[in-house]
Amino acid sequence: MDFDEEKTKINSDNNFNEDYIPKAYILDLKSEKKALINRKKFIIGKAPSCSFTVEDPMISRIHCNIVDTGNNFILEDLQSTNGTFINKVRVNKRILKDNDIFILGGHKFQFFIIK
């Protein structure tokens, strides 16, 4: 697996725990960049402080996060302007399943659990 080093950088301001073992990753289907879910709260948006940054005018600065609860991964919209969609349904908070497709702005992402 090739991961974009910049997108999987350690950011101590974003709940990074060096003992955390990544159990999932996302693939931006537009840019084909992969990023490990390398912290318990993985934030996606335009802001440089996000775990995964996406340049898209339809994506909010702090758009959504993926939270590892230990048993599940939950995708949660963070009051974004244009919404978060899983499998074409707008959601506020939803458990992600392996291979789910979620959409933020003009970007489709696929979620994968590492087996």
Side-chain angles (χ1 to χ4, degrees):
M1 260 182 267
D2 292 331
F3 291 97
D4 183 352
E5 287 181 32
E6 182 179 325
K7 301 298 181 199
T8 57
K9 67 183 182 219
I10 296 171
N11 182 344
S12 61
D13 295 332
N14 193 7
N15 298 318
F16 182 79
N17 178 343
E18 59 187 54
D19 296 329
Y20 181 78
I21 299 170
K23 297 177 273 186
Y25 68 96
I26 59 171
L27 169 64
D28 182 340
L29 296 173
K30 187 173 186 176
S31 70
E32 298 184 356
K33 291 183 180 177
K34 296 176 187 174
L36 284 171
I37 308 298
N38 59 359
R39 57 206 71 191
K40 288 189 181 230
K41 188 175 182 182
F42 186 87
I43 300 172
I44 303 169
K46 287 193 295 196
S49 62
C50 289
S51 312
F52 189 88
T53 55
V54 183
E55 289 302 320
D56 182 325
M58 301 282 294
I59 293 178
S60 297
R61 288 182 52 72
I62 308 287
H63 196 100
C64 67
N65 65 29
I66 298 173
V67 178
D68 179 358
T69 66
N71 297 320
N72 294 299
F73 288 89
I74 298 174
L75 180 68
E76 179 180 25
D77 185 83
L78 298 174
Q79 300 179 338
S80 66
T81 303
N82 294 307
T84 298
F85 298 80
I86 297 179
N87 302 324
K88 300 184 180 180
V89 176
R90 188 172 185 153
V91 297
N92 288 322
K93 187 185 253 190
R94 186 92 158 290
I95 293 174
L96 283 168
K97 296 183 180 115
D98 194 30
N99 292 311
D100 270 349
I101 302 288
F102 63 97
I103 299 171
L104 313 174
H107 286 254
K108 285 184 180 180
F109 297 86
Q110 191 163 10
F111 173 79
F112 297 95
I113 294 175
I114 298 170
K115 298 173 183 166

